[in-house]
Amino acid sequence: MMSTRHIVILSTLCTLFSAYPERERVHDLMVRYPLIDGHNDLPLQLRRYHNNQLSQMDLHNLTKFSTDIGRLRVGHIQAQMFSVYVMCGAQEKDAVQLTLEQIDVVRRMCTEYQDFELVTSVQGLKNSAIKSKIACLISIEGGHSIGSSLPTLRMFYLLGVRSMTLTHNCNTPWAESSSRLYAVFQRENNSLTLFGQAVVEEMNRLGMIVDVSHASWDTALTVMKHSKAPVIFSHSSSYFICKHHRNVPDWLLRELKKSRGLIMVNLHSNFITCRDEANISHVADHFDHIREVIGAESIGIGGDYEGVQRFPQGLEDVSKYPHLIHELLQRNWTENELAGVLRRNFLRVFEEVERVRDQLRSNKPSEVQISSEEVQNPCRLDLRPKLRQSAISPTVFSNSNEQKNLFFLAIVLLLSSIFTG
């Protein structure tokens, strides 16, 4: 007869041995379907802590941050959407210049390090996976970066940008944010202006993914209805589970499903539990609920590492993604569903964005311009020639006082001629 001690030892050994096949299953799944992560703010931290001077750091090992090449490899991240975010305070100032500088650091980072490869297409993503490279996608975070200019948007596309969130924590002159942090460009019942619609149309024409994370729910809904291509929430979670304005309610998720879009679940603790603390189980609750509402085929992952400070226990950095996949397997998610969450769902959306681009190839670049009244930017020059008034005009007078003076002068001259005739 076995003693209690032997039973405990045997039970522990069984647990350990059973855990190995699960870990191998996760590893095998993520090797076959490595992750495409929808949002990472490493470029922001490179600017804050190193002034974008890549020569002063080694991206293989960044102990201050949650992201480096070593941990991206451990986390089985094959493609990373890097945000080129600039603060809302730069709106109407130097937002365009700062965005260019952030694009520059991502391009340098992803060309100077052999582990990385800058990609701009679905085929590029697939090719980089074959070469075991970490693909870099560039995403603008906040429409204020384009300075309300479609030509600027087009130039960003030429530099490699393939996605843009229409707002960040501030309204733009043409789209509404979910945040009320900045009291700028307040409007009533106009969450996406005519110029905002033109931005969406031009992004469709270019083949740029429209991202509605950070946008108000009304803006997101209007964009879904107006866009010819599917849109994404690159880093948002479920409002049903955590009632934070950055999360997405069920009714809007259903609209996203209708438009063939994608929600990439954010891992920030405050968006997961609406508190500072969370764990992997809480994160999995968001995945379970969204799957129940719109299906696993509409879900991805957008961790938001380096953009926020607090992450769930067990998901402290980018190397921990296998822990999340293990939890979802434990909750009876199928390998096919997880293959979609890890990469296939994003590839499907990106392919549809490129298909719409190809359909619109005959369309010329939009020449829609925003009015100066909408922009309200004193730093914006108007170079159009001014209409000059003639010095003497028999029919047009600049003001009523001049007309009165000339009238009285004519009376005086008439009377003078009568009495001196």
Side-chain angles (χ1 to χ4, degrees):
M1 184 173 174
M2 294 178 66
S3 68
T4 303
R5 180 168 173 266
H6 288 136
I7 292 172
V8 170
I9 292 173
L10 183 60
S11 175
T12 302
L13 288 173
C14 289
T15 301
L16 287 172
F17 284 125
S18 64
Y20 281 114
E22 283 296 321
R23 291 175 185 170
E24 290 173 4
R25 187 182 175 199
V26 171
H27 179 270
D28 178 64
L29 180 64
M30 297 190 76
V31 167
R32 286 184 289 126
Y33 305 104
L35 175 63
I36 299 174
D37 185 342
H39 194 85
N40 186 294
D41 278 296
L42 179 61
L44 171 65
Q45 302 308 329
L46 297 182
R47 185 179 194 95
R48 291 184 64 204
Y49 288 95
H50 298 283
N51 200 28
N52 287 351
Q53 295 180 326
L54 294 180
S55 61
Q56 296 184 4
M57 68 194 87
D58 180 5
L59 295 187
H60 291 95
N61 183 24
L62 297 170
T63 56
K64 286 183 181 178
F65 308 140
S66 304
T67 306
D68 56 33
I69 292 172
R71 283 175 286 180
L72 286 169
R73 291 290 193 190
V74 173
H76 297 285
I77 299 167
Q78 186 271 314
Q80 180 64 69
M81 190 94 79
F82 283 114
S83 166
V84 289
Y85 166 67
V86 301
M87 304 290 186
C88 278
Q91 185 163 213
E92 301 182 346
K93 298 177 183 175
D94 53 352
V96 174
Q97 176 188 326
L98 293 175
T99 305
L100 285 168
E101 292 173 359
Q102 292 308 96
I103 291 171
D104 172 73
V105 78
V106 174
R107 290 182 64 92
R108 290 173 53 217
M109 178 176 78
C110 296
T111 53
E112 292 177 15
Y113 282 82
Q114 293 185 353
D115 294 86
F116 286 135
E117 183 175 49
L118 184 67
V119 301
T120 58
S121 66
V122 172
Q123 191 58 52
L125 280 172
K126 294 177 180 179
N127 292 343
S128 68
I130 294 171
K131 294 182 285 187
S132 297
K133 297 279 190 177
I134 300 171
C136 302
L137 288 162
I138 302 177
S139 173
I140 290 174
E141 187 175 15
H144 58 283
S145 283
I146 68 170
S148 297
S149 163
L150 296 184
T152 301
L153 176 70
R154 289 191 285 269
M155 293 302 100
F156 283 148
Y157 181 85
L158 290 177
L159 290 173
V161 174
R162 288 299 177 268
S163 176
M164 181 175 76
T165 63
L166 300 188
T167 69
H168 192 254
N169 287 333
C170 51
N171 295 339
T172 66
W174 42 271
E176 184 178 71
S177 170
S178 65
S179 172
R180 296 292 178 266
L181 187 60
Y182 295 87
V184 295
F185 301 113
Q186 302 291 324
R187 295 180 298 275
E188 292 293 333
N189 302 318
N190 194 12
S191 58
L192 188 72
T193 68
L194 290 176
F195 183 79
Q197 294 175 26
V199 171
V200 172
E201 292 166 6
E202 191 66 357
M203 291 178 72
N204 287 167
R205 190 191 69 83
L206 289 167
M208 190 182 290
I209 300 170
V210 180
D211 184 353
V212 287
S213 276
H214 284 287
S216 72
W217 297 344
D218 285 344
T219 296
L221 178 61
T222 306
V223 170
M224 288 177 203
K225 291 182 175 180
H226 193 75
S227 177
K228 291 181 174 64
V231 306
I232 69 171
F233 290 91
S234 66
H235 56 305
S236 298
S237 302
S238 167
Y239 186 80
F240 181 87
I241 301 294
C242 169
K243 289 177 171 49
H244 193 287
H245 64 81
R246 274 280 285 104
N247 289 338
V248 186
D250 288 356
W251 66 265
L252 191 54
L253 286 174
R254 294 187 184 98
E255 294 295 331
L256 181 71
K257 172 74 172 179
K258 290 179 189 175
S259 63
R260 310 176 313 285
L262 182 69
I263 177 169
M264 309 184 81
V265 176
N266 191 316
L267 305 185
H268 178 34
S269 292
N270 294 93
F271 299 163
I272 295 299
T273 61
C274 291
R275 302 188 304 273
D276 291 346
E277 296 82 26
N279 57 43
I280 294 178
S281 180
H282 293 134
V283 176
D285 289 342
H286 284 258
F287 281 86
D288 281 347
H289 179 75
I290 297 171
R291 180 178 64 166
E292 181 181 344
V293 176
I294 58 173
E297 65 274 13
S298 300
I299 306 174
I301 301 175
D304 205 6
Y305 287 104
E306 312 308 342
V308 290
Q309 294 182 335
R310 289 180 286 272
F311 287 91
Q313 184 178 0
L315 291 171
E316 293 84 0
D317 62 58
V318 297
S319 72
K320 306 297 176 62
Y321 278 122
H323 297 176
L324 174 59
I325 301 306
H326 179 266
E327 175 69 19
L328 294 177
L329 282 170
Q330 294 287 92
R331 294 184 178 216
N332 297 318
W333 283 61
T334 68
E335 291 194 3
N336 187 58
E337 288 175 327
L338 291 174
V341 169
L342 286 165
R343 69 184 290 109
R344 283 179 171 174
N345 297 341
F346 180 85
L347 288 173
R348 186 259 306 166
V349 169
F350 200 0
E351 284 170 349
E352 291 196 45
V353 168
E354 291 187 341
R355 190 176 303 119
V356 169
R357 174 203 63 194
D358 294 342
Q359 292 169 354
L360 299 175
R361 193 172 296 280
S362 62
N363 291 12
K364 292 184 178 180
S366 173
E367 294 183 342
V368 173
Q369 297 182 9
I370 195 167
S371 69
S372 57
E373 291 76 20
E374 288 179 271
V375 176
Q376 301 174 13
N377 187 349
C379 297
R380 198 179 181 106
L381 293 179
D382 184 355
L383 299 180
R384 292 174 299 179
K386 306 296 184 190
L387 293 176
R388 292 190 296 178
Q389 295 178 335
S390 301
I392 299 175
S393 174
T395 57
V396 179
F397 301 97
S398 60
N399 57 58
S400 59
N401 287 333
E402 289 185 13
Q403 295 181 47
K404 290 177 182 178
N405 292 337
L406 288 173
F407 176 75
F408 287 123
L409 178 59
I411 295 294
V412 169
L413 291 174
L414 177 63
L415 293 173
S416 176
S417 64
I418 292 172
F419 288 111
T420 59

